[in-house]
Amino acid sequence: MALINQSHPEEFILLGFADRPWLELPIFIILLITYPMAMMGNIAIILVSKLDPHLHSPMYFFLTNLSFLDMCYTTSIVPQMLFNLGSPKKTISYMGCAVQLYFFHIMGGTECLLLAIMSFDRYVAICRPLHYTVIMNQHMCILLVSIVWLGGITYAVSEATVTLQLPLCGVNKLDHLICEIPVLIKTACGEKEVNELTLSVVCIFLLAVPLCLILASYASIGHAVLKMKSSEGRKKAFGTCSSHLIVVFLFYGPGISMYLQPPSSITRDQPKFMALFYGVVTPTVNPFIYTLRNKDVKGALGNLVRSILSFK
């Protein structure tokens, strides 16, 4: 096996479910169906948010960013998964692995922070309605999204770069479907306790802190909603906030179980199923969650379909 600098292999073999080959075809079919669904659903959310004037608000500006993130998130891993599951050659080049590592964690880190910003937006809208347009003005929304993207990029570039510096001692087999930081740390040889500790500390700030802010926001929102006299207002507030809460738990649940424990303690199959869940399931169901529980989005989608049909 040829090595780069006697440390990094030219390519990695992604073992995936090599020990259970009967799983490969069902997973391949599921990915082949859900990936186009995820892309079409998120593209539809972006289109209606941009084309319908009623959806030109901070909430849908953030939702557009979330849909774009989900598209990039799933695209960074699913094509590689499909290639490996449908081919006897289950390899990825070292450079391809590094690119996937950066993109996958940029999107993941950014989404962690964006979900917290979206909960803050709902907090201001429901708990401070008279000041909403002043606080959540266009400049503030752009600034918040810029900070979120910068935070995600900073996390991914720093953590992935440090991980790629770890010596692999000629090992080129990864027991995973994709290139991911915890699995690379677990595969590395030599002293890696510092990397494990750094990853845990960074992920506390990236996962636990935003989640605490989200829960605090929704505690205040719940208190404000219960004091509303209008049953219609309560119903609308609960409908909007419940959609976001479902998305939060779908994303943060697997992320916390994967990243807030030392990589050395991760079980063999945990990374594979977690990658399938938060890289495939979440981006696929998010558009349906926001569409089915939101009258404004359903109405905008209906208008878009009717305008396309009438144009034809």
Side-chain angles (χ1 to χ4, degrees), residues 33-34 36-42 45 243 246-247 281-294 297-298 301:
I33 295 171
T34 56
M37 287 174 60
M39 297 301 288
M40 288 188 292
N42 285 295
I45 294 288
S243 299
I246 292 170
V247 171
V281 176
T282 305
T284 304
V285 300
N286 280 0
F288 293 99
I289 292 171
Y290 280 108
T291 302
L292 295 176
R293 302 184 65 87
N294 191 309
V297 177
K298 283 194 285 187
L301 277 172

Side-chain angles (χ1 to χ4, degrees), residues 194-214:
V194 174
N195 296 77
E196 292 187 350
L197 179 62
T198 304
L199 181 63
S200 298
V201 171
V202 169
C203 288
I204 285 172
F205 285 99
L206 206 65
L207 285 166
V209 173
L211 183 59
C212 289
L213 294 175
I214 290 169

Side-chain angles (χ1 to χ4, degrees), residues 107-135:
M107 301 308 156
T110 304
E111 188 158 336
C112 284
L113 301 174
L114 180 62
L115 289 172
I117 296 299
M118 291 175 74
S119 70
F120 173 72
D121 171 68
R122 291 300 84 209
Y123 164 78
V124 177
I126 294 171
C127 299
R128 300 287 186 271
L130 298 179
H131 302 96
Y132 182 67
T133 54
V134 176
I135 297 172

Side-chain angles (χ1 to χ4, degrees), residues 36 125 136 264:
M136 301 304 292
S264 56

Side-chain angles (χ1 to χ4, degrees), residues 141-159:
C141 291
I142 294 172
L143 176 63
L144 288 172
V145 167
S146 301
I147 292 171
V148 160
W149 276 96
L150 183 61
I153 291 170
T154 302
Y155 151 71
V157 170
S158 58
E159 197 64 43

Side-chain angles (χ1 to χ4, degrees), residues 248-264:
V248 165
F249 287 120
L250 283 174
F251 182 82
Y252 275 91
I256 288 173
S257 69
M258 181 72 180
Y259 283 87
L260 288 188
Q261 61 175 313
S264 56

Side-chain angles (χ1 to χ4, degrees), residues 9-286:
E10 288 186 348
E11 63 181 17
F12 287 105
I13 299 172
L14 298 172
L15 298 177
F17 295 103
D19 57 330
R20 279 167 288 181
W22 57 271
L23 273 175
E24 292 186 348
L25 181 59
I27 293 174
F28 179 84
I29 293 171
I30 290 170
L31 292 178
L32 203 60
I33 295 171
T34 56
Y35 179 59
M37 287 174 60
M39 297 301 288
M40 288 188 292
N42 285 295
I43 288 171
I45 294 288
I46 292 172
L47 284 176
V48 297
S49 298
K50 292 295 183 184
L51 297 177
D52 194 311
H54 298 99
L55 302 184
H56 290 175
S57 67
M59 175 182 168
Y60 295 103
F61 172 71
F62 295 130
L63 182 56
T64 299
N65 275 271
L66 180 64
S67 293
F68 177 73
L69 269 173
D70 281 341
M71 288 170 58
C72 297
Y73 202 31
T74 190
T75 299
S76 69
I77 61 173
V78 172
Q80 178 66 37
M81 285 184 183
L82 286 170
F83 175 79
N84 284 358
L85 289 169
S87 167
K89 186 182 180 184
K90 304 181 186 303
T91 59
I92 182 172
S93 67
Y94 178 79
M95 187 58 67
C97 180
V99 170
Q100 185 180 75
L101 199 70
Y102 282 112
F103 273 92
F104 181 71
H105 288 91
I106 284 172
M107 301 308 156
T110 304
E111 188 158 336
C112 284
L113 301 174
L114 180 62
L115 289 172
I117 296 299
M118 291 175 74
S119 70
F120 173 72
D121 171 68
R122 291 300 84 209
Y123 164 78
V124 177
I126 294 171
C127 299
R128 300 287 186 271
L130 298 179
H131 302 96
Y132 182 67
T133 54
V134 176
I135 297 172
M136 301 304 292
N137 57 65
Q138 185 179 13
H139 294 295
M140 177 59 70
C141 291
I142 294 172
L143 176 63
L144 288 172
V145 167
S146 301
I147 292 171
V148 160
W149 276 96
L150 183 61
I153 291 170
T154 302
Y155 151 71
V157 170
S158 58
E159 197 64 43
T161 301
V162 171
T163 302
L164 288 170
Q165 300 304 311
L166 287 170
L168 295 172
C169 301
V171 177
N172 76 328
K173 291 182 179 180
L174 298 180
D175 194 9
H176 202 1
L177 293 163
I178 61 172
C179 290
E180 198 171 2
I181 287 175
V183 176
L184 280 170
I185 292 176
K186 188 175 181 178
T187 306
C189 59
E191 296 294 326
K192 49 190 177 183
E193 287 76 13
V194 174
N195 296 77
E196 292 187 350
L197 179 62
T198 304
L199 181 63
S200 298
V201 171
V202 169
C203 288
I204 285 172
F205 285 99
L206 206 65
L207 285 166
V209 173
L211 183 59
C212 289
L213 294 175
I214 290 169
L215 295 176
S217 296
Y218 277 103
S220 300
I221 289 170
H223 181 68
V225 168
L226 291 174
K227 292 197 298 184
M228 287 182 180
K229 296 180 180 179
S230 167
S231 60
E232 185 65 29
R234 282 199 302 269
K235 185 178 178 182
K236 185 175 182 180
F238 273 124
T240 303
C241 295
S242 62
S243 299
H244 184 242
L245 269 177
I246 292 170
V247 171
V248 165
F249 287 120
L250 283 174
F251 182 82
Y252 275 91
I256 288 173
S257 69
M258 181 72 180
Y259 283 87
L260 288 188
Q261 61 175 313
S264 56
S265 67
I266 295 172
T267 61
R268 183 179 181 185
D269 289 331
Q270 184 182 352
K272 303 169 193 176
F273 289 109
M274 290 299 101
L276 287 170
F277 189 86
Y278 56 70
V280 179
V281 176
T282 305
T284 304
V285 300
N286 280 0

